[in-house]
């Protein structure tokens, strides 16, 4: 789990709870963005870029996302991980001079911009797009997604991103695009909602987390969350 662990964040406490629920065959651990491991990804069979941006080392996060995208390493991005995955794709695939409004508010091409209303601590009804991998994983029925964010994918640049191969996999009111994926990649999925929330209450792992673990297991053993 690539991110800067801070137990003042309820979402990070939920991530710790999700770690405790991993199956016996999965070895999941935190990797700080400013650590050597974040740059090397040695031994990683999958990378989950978690919430908490801006990160202590944004460049390391973008590099990890790019490496996963180019190498076929399974990647799950949630909340900030979703936002950074979108910016990386916009820069390195779609060819945009893309920026994130939280870290570069004065930039011209804000591919990730401020949402119409804050979703900090909010839930929304998430609906998957039929035919996507996320819909296959989560099912066709709308479900409740928990958020802790104020930024999302700007619809202004959505056409450029989809033309370059990014697929929208889910939407929600106020949040707009809730999920994206790369269908030709073994597992490259990112969501604005945070699927680990509820783990501290003993709920089963969200199907998206389990699908990511399965993809990591196929990439190598032991799997890393």
């Amino acid at each position: 789990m690539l991110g800067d662990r801070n137990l003042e964040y309820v979402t990070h406490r939920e991530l710790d709870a999700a770690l405790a629920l991993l199956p016996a065959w999965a070895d999941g651990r935190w990797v700080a963005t400013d650590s050597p491991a974040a740059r090397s990804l040695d031994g990683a069979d999958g990378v989950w870029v978690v919430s908490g941006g801006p990160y202590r080392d944004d460049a390391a996060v973008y590099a990890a996302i790019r490496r996963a995208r180019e190498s076929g390493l399974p990647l799950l991005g949630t909340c900030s991980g979703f936002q950074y995955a979108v910016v990386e794709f916009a820069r390195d695939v779609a060819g945009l001079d893309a920026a994130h409004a939280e870290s570069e508010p004065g930039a011209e091409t804000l591919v990730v911009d401020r949402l119409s209303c804050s979703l900090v601590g909010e839930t929304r009804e998430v609906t998957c797009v039929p035919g996507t991998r996320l819909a296959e994983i989560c099912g066709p029925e709308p479900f409740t997604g928990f958020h802790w964010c104020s930024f999302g994918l700007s619809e202004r640049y959505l056409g450029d991103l989809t033309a370059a191969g990014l697929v929208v996999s889910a939407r929600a009111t106020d949040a707009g695009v809730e999920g994206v994926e790369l269908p030709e990649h073994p597992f490259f999925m990112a969501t604005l909602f945070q699927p680990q929330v509820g783990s501290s209450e003993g709920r089963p792992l969200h199907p998206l987390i389990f699908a990511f673990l399965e993809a990591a297991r196929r990439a190598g053993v032991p799997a890393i969350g």
Side-chain angles (χ1 to χ4, degrees):
M1 295 195 310
L2 184 59
D4 302 313
R5 182 172 180 261
N6 183 345
L7 294 185
E8 292 183 4
Y9 300 159
V10 62
T11 53
H12 284 197
R13 297 196 297 272
E14 292 287 337
L15 285 165
D16 275 3
L19 281 177
L21 295 174
L22 297 189
W25 48 262
D27 172 24
R29 60 184 180 269
W30 283 89
V31 172
T33 65
D34 56 354
S35 68
R39 292 281 181 175
S40 69
L41 300 183
D42 287 344
D45 297 313
V47 178
W48 180 357
V49 183
V50 301
S51 58
Y55 302 98
R56 292 202 294 262
D57 190 338
D58 273 358
V61 176
Y62 284 122
I65 293 169
R66 180 171 185 171
R67 178 175 171 182
R69 179 179 54 76
E70 293 179 339
S71 69
L73 185 71
L75 180 133
L76 175 61
T78 53
C79 192
S80 298
F82 165 91
Q83 298 160 13
Y84 279 56
V86 166
V87 171
E88 189 281 326
F89 184 88
R91 289 173 177 172
D92 298 326
V93 181
L96 300 176
D97 186 21
H100 191 306
E102 187 171 23
S103 53
E104 300 177 76
E108 181 177 349
T109 310
L110 294 175
V111 172
V112 170
D113 207 348
R114 190 170 292 276
L115 295 169
S116 59
C117 66
S118 173
L119 295 181
V120 173
E122 296 284 336
T123 60
R124 288 294 185 273
E125 186 177 83
V126 178
T127 303
C128 294
V129 176
T132 61
R133 189 179 300 181
L134 186 64
E136 181 181 344
I137 292 169
C138 297
E141 297 301 320
F143 59 90
T144 299
F146 181 88
H147 303 76
W148 199 281
C149 61
S150 298
F151 299 88
L153 195 164
S154 171
E155 297 280 346
R156 179 179 178 184
Y157 300 102
L158 185 55
D160 297 287
L161 300 180
T162 56
L166 193 69
V167 171
V168 173
S169 57
R171 286 184 171 273
T173 302
D174 296 338
V177 175
E178 276 277 354
V180 295
E181 59 187 55
L182 294 177
E184 303 304 319
H185 192 282
F187 192 98
F188 189 103
M189 306 186 73
T191 66
L192 200 57
F193 68 88
Q194 300 200 47
Q196 80 277 8
V197 174
S199 297
S200 64
E201 300 173 2
R203 299 180 196 171
L205 280 178
H206 193 282
L208 178 57
I209 299 174
F210 199 78
F212 166 68
L213 292 174
E214 290 285 2
R217 179 158 69 163
R218 289 193 295 271
V221 177
I224 181 171

